CSV table of all heavy atoms in Angstrom, one decimal:
chain,number,residue,atom,x,y,z
A,50,LEU,N,59.5,53.4,174.7
A,50,LEU,CA,59.9,53.2,173.3
A,50,LEU,C,59.0,53.9,172.4
A,50,LEU,O,57.8,53.7,172.2
A,50,LEU,CB,59.9,51.7,173.0
A,50,LEU,CG,60.4,51.3,171.5
A,50,LEU,CD1,61.9,51.7,171.5
A,50,LEU,CD2,60.1,49.9,171.1
A,51,GLN,N,59.6,55.0,171.9
A,51,GLN,CA,58.7,55.9,171.0
A,51,GLN,C,59.0,55.4,169.6
A,51,GLN,O,60.2,55.3,169.1
A,51,GLN,CB,59.2,57.4,171.0
A,51,GLN,CG,58.5,58.3,170.1
A,51,GLN,CD,57.1,58.5,170.4
A,51,GLN,OE1,56.7,58.7,171.5
A,51,GLN,NE2,56.2,58.4,169.3
A,52,MET,N,58.0,55.0,168.9
A,52,MET,CA,58.0,54.4,167.6
A,52,MET,C,57.3,55.3,166.6
A,52,MET,O,56.1,55.7,166.8
A,52,MET,CB,57.3,53.0,167.6
A,52,MET,CG,57.9,52.1,168.7
A,52,MET,SD,57.1,50.5,168.6
A,52,MET,CE,55.4,50.8,169.0
A,53,ASN,N,58.1,55.8,165.6
A,53,ASN,CA,57.5,56.7,164.6
A,53,ASN,C,57.7,56.0,163.3
A,53,ASN,O,58.4,55.0,163.1
A,53,ASN,CB,58.3,58.0,164.6
A,53,ASN,CG,58.1,58.8,165.9
A,53,ASN,OD1,57.1,58.8,166.5
A,53,ASN,ND2,59.2,59.6,166.3
A,54,SER,N,56.9,56.6,162.3
A,54,SER,CA,57.0,56.0,160.9
A,54,SER,C,56.8,54.5,160.9
A,54,SER,O,57.6,53.8,160.3
A,54,SER,CB,58.3,56.4,160.3
A,54,SER,OG,58.4,57.8,160.3
A,55,LEU,N,55.8,54.1,161.6
A,55,LEU,CA,55.6,52.6,161.8
A,55,LEU,C,55.2,52.0,160.5
A,55,LEU,O,54.6,52.5,159.6
A,55,LEU,CB,54.5,52.4,162.8
A,55,LEU,CG,55.0,52.5,164.3
A,55,LEU,CD1,53.7,52.6,165.2
A,55,LEU,CD2,55.8,51.2,164.6
A,56,LYS,N,55.7,50.7,160.3
A,56,LYS,CA,55.6,49.9,159.1
A,56,LYS,C,54.8,48.7,159.4
A,56,LYS,O,54.9,48.1,160.5
A,56,LYS,CB,56.9,49.6,158.5
A,56,LYS,CG,57.8,50.7,158.2
A,56,LYS,CD,59.2,50.3,157.7
A,56,LYS,CE,60.1,51.5,157.4
A,56,LYS,NZ,61.4,51.0,156.9
A,57,PRO,N,54.1,48.1,158.4
A,57,PRO,CA,53.4,46.8,158.7
A,57,PRO,C,54.4,45.7,159.3
A,57,PRO,O,54.0,44.9,160.1
A,57,PRO,CB,52.9,46.4,157.4
A,57,PRO,CG,52.6,47.7,156.7
A,57,PRO,CD,53.8,48.6,157.2
A,58,GLU,N,55.6,45.7,158.9
A,58,GLU,CA,56.6,44.8,159.3
A,58,GLU,C,57.0,45.0,160.8
A,58,GLU,O,57.7,44.2,161.4
A,58,GLU,CB,57.8,44.7,158.5
A,58,GLU,CG,58.5,46.0,158.1
A,58,GLU,CD,58.0,46.6,156.8
A,58,GLU,OE1,56.8,46.6,156.6
A,58,GLU,OE2,58.9,47.2,156.2
A,59,ASP,N,56.5,46.1,161.4
A,59,ASP,CA,56.8,46.3,162.9
A,59,ASP,C,55.8,45.6,163.7
A,59,ASP,O,55.9,45.6,164.9
A,59,ASP,CB,56.8,47.9,163.1
A,59,ASP,CG,57.9,48.6,162.5
A,59,ASP,OD1,59.1,48.1,162.5
A,59,ASP,OD2,57.6,49.7,162.0
A,60,THR,N,54.8,45.1,163.1
A,60,THR,CA,53.7,44.3,163.8
A,60,THR,C,54.3,43.2,164.6
A,60,THR,O,55.0,42.3,164.0
A,60,THR,CB,52.6,43.8,162.8
A,60,THR,OG1,51.9,44.9,162.3
A,60,THR,CG2,51.6,42.9,163.6
A,61,ALA,N,54.2,43.2,165.9
A,61,ALA,CA,54.7,42.1,166.7
A,61,ALA,C,54.3,42.3,168.2
A,61,ALA,O,53.6,43.3,168.5
A,61,ALA,CB,56.2,42.2,166.7
A,62,LEU,N,54.5,41.4,169.0
A,62,LEU,CA,54.4,41.5,170.4
A,62,LEU,C,55.6,42.0,171.0
A,62,LEU,O,56.8,41.5,170.7
A,62,LEU,CB,54.1,40.2,171.0
A,62,LEU,CG,53.6,40.0,172.6
A,62,LEU,CD1,52.3,40.9,172.7
A,62,LEU,CD2,53.3,38.6,172.9
A,63,TYR,N,55.6,43.2,171.7
A,63,TYR,CA,56.7,43.9,172.2
A,63,TYR,C,56.9,43.6,173.7
A,63,TYR,O,55.9,43.7,174.4
A,63,TYR,CB,56.6,45.4,171.9
A,63,TYR,CG,56.9,45.8,170.5
A,63,TYR,CD1,56.0,45.4,169.5
A,63,TYR,CD2,58.1,46.4,170.1
A,63,TYR,CE1,56.2,45.8,168.2
A,63,TYR,CE2,58.4,46.7,168.9
A,63,TYR,CZ,57.4,46.4,167.8
A,63,TYR,OH,57.7,46.7,166.5
A,64,TYR,N,58.1,43.3,174.0
A,64,TYR,CA,58.4,42.9,175.5
A,64,TYR,C,59.5,43.9,176.0
A,64,TYR,O,60.5,44.2,175.3
A,64,TYR,CB,59.0,41.5,175.5
A,64,TYR,CG,58.1,40.4,175.1
A,64,TYR,CD1,58.1,39.9,173.8
A,64,TYR,CD2,57.2,39.8,176.0
A,64,TYR,CE1,57.3,38.9,173.4
A,64,TYR,CE2,56.4,38.7,175.6
A,64,TYR,CZ,56.4,38.3,174.3
A,64,TYR,OH,55.6,37.3,173.9
A,65,CYS,N,59.3,44.2,177.2
A,65,CYS,CA,60.3,44.9,178.0
A,65,CYS,C,61.1,43.8,178.7
A,65,CYS,O,60.6,42.8,179.2
A,65,CYS,CB,59.6,45.8,179.0
A,65,CYS,SG,60.8,46.7,180.0
A,66,SER,N,62.5,44.0,178.9
A,66,SER,CA,63.4,43.0,179.5
A,66,SER,C,64.5,43.7,180.1
A,66,SER,O,65.0,44.7,179.7
A,66,SER,CB,63.7,42.0,178.4
A,66,SER,OG,64.6,41.0,179.0
A,67,SER,N,65.0,43.0,181.2
A,67,SER,CA,66.3,43.4,181.8
A,67,SER,C,67.0,42.2,182.3
A,67,SER,O,66.3,41.2,182.9
A,67,SER,CB,65.9,44.4,183.0
A,67,SER,OG,67.2,44.9,183.4
A,68,LEU,N,68.3,42.3,182.3
A,68,LEU,CA,69.1,41.2,182.9
A,68,LEU,C,69.7,41.7,184.2
A,68,LEU,O,70.4,42.6,184.3
A,68,LEU,CB,70.3,40.9,181.9
A,68,LEU,CG,71.3,39.8,182.3
A,68,LEU,CD1,70.6,38.5,182.4
A,68,LEU,CD2,72.4,39.8,181.5
A,69,TYR,N,69.1,41.1,185.2
A,69,TYR,CA,69.5,41.4,186.7
A,69,TYR,C,69.6,40.1,187.3
A,69,TYR,O,68.5,39.6,187.8
A,69,TYR,CB,68.3,42.3,187.2
A,69,TYR,CG,68.6,42.7,188.6
A,69,TYR,CD1,69.7,43.5,189.1
A,69,TYR,CD2,67.6,42.2,189.6
A,69,TYR,CE1,69.8,43.8,190.3
A,69,TYR,CE2,67.9,42.5,190.9
A,69,TYR,CZ,68.9,43.4,191.3
A,69,TYR,OH,69.1,43.7,192.7
A,70,VAL,N,70.7,39.5,187.4
A,70,VAL,CA,71.0,38.2,188.0
A,70,VAL,C,70.5,37.2,186.9
A,70,VAL,O,71.2,36.3,186.5
A,70,VAL,CB,70.4,38.0,189.3
A,70,VAL,CG1,70.7,36.6,189.8
A,70,VAL,CG2,70.8,39.0,190.4
A,71,LYS,N,69.3,37.4,186.6
A,71,LYS,CA,68.7,36.5,185.5
A,71,LYS,C,68.0,37.5,184.6
A,71,LYS,O,67.6,38.6,184.9
A,71,LYS,CB,67.8,35.5,186.0
A,71,LYS,CG,66.5,35.9,186.6
A,71,LYS,CD,65.7,34.6,186.9
A,71,LYS,CE,64.3,35.1,187.4
A,71,LYS,NZ,63.3,34.0,187.6
A,72,ARG,N,67.5,37.0,183.3
A,72,ARG,CA,66.7,37.9,182.5
A,72,ARG,C,65.2,37.8,182.9
A,72,ARG,O,64.6,36.7,183.0
A,72,ARG,CB,66.9,37.5,181.1
A,72,ARG,CG,66.2,38.4,180.0
A,72,ARG,CD,66.7,38.3,178.7
A,72,ARG,NE,68.0,39.0,178.5
A,72,ARG,CZ,68.1,40.3,178.5
A,72,ARG,NH1,67.1,41.2,178.5
A,72,ARG,NH2,69.4,40.9,178.4
A,73,TYR,N,64.7,39.0,183.0
A,73,TYR,CA,63.3,39.2,183.3
A,73,TYR,C,62.6,39.7,182.1
A,73,TYR,O,63.2,40.5,181.4
A,73,TYR,CB,63.2,40.1,184.6
A,73,TYR,CG,63.7,39.5,185.9
A,73,TYR,CD1,64.8,39.8,186.3
A,73,TYR,CD2,62.7,38.8,186.6
A,73,TYR,CE1,65.3,39.2,187.4
A,73,TYR,CE2,63.1,38.3,187.8
A,73,TYR,CZ,64.5,38.5,188.2
A,73,TYR,OH,64.9,37.9,189.5
A,74,TRP,N,61.4,39.3,182.0
A,74,TRP,CA,60.5,39.7,180.9
A,74,TRP,C,59.1,40.2,181.4
A,74,TRP,O,58.6,39.7,182.4
A,74,TRP,CB,60.2,38.5,179.9
A,74,TRP,CG,61.5,37.9,179.4
A,74,TRP,CD1,62.1,36.8,179.8
A,74,TRP,CD2,62.0,38.4,178.1
A,74,TRP,NE1,63.1,36.6,178.9
A,74,TRP,CE2,63.2,37.5,177.9
A,74,TRP,CE3,61.8,39.3,177.2
A,74,TRP,CZ2,64.0,37.5,176.8
A,74,TRP,CZ3,62.6,39.4,176.1
A,74,TRP,CH2,63.8,38.5,175.9
A,75,GLY,N,58.6,41.2,180.6
A,75,GLY,CA,57.2,41.6,180.9
A,75,GLY,C,56.3,40.7,180.2
A,75,GLY,O,56.7,39.7,179.5
A,76,GLN,N,55.0,41.0,180.2
A,76,GLN,CA,54.0,40.1,179.6
A,76,GLN,C,53.8,40.4,178.2
A,76,GLN,O,53.2,39.6,177.4
A,76,GLN,CB,52.7,40.1,180.3
A,76,GLN,CG,51.8,41.4,179.9
A,76,GLN,CD,52.3,42.7,180.5
A,76,GLN,OE1,53.3,42.7,181.2
A,76,GLN,NE2,51.7,43.7,180.0
């Protein structure tokens, strides 16, 4: 995920995820 022109409102915990039989999440 290339993020440009970042704003303070982009502050967050970002997760990678995929639906493969069930939904999986990174940490």
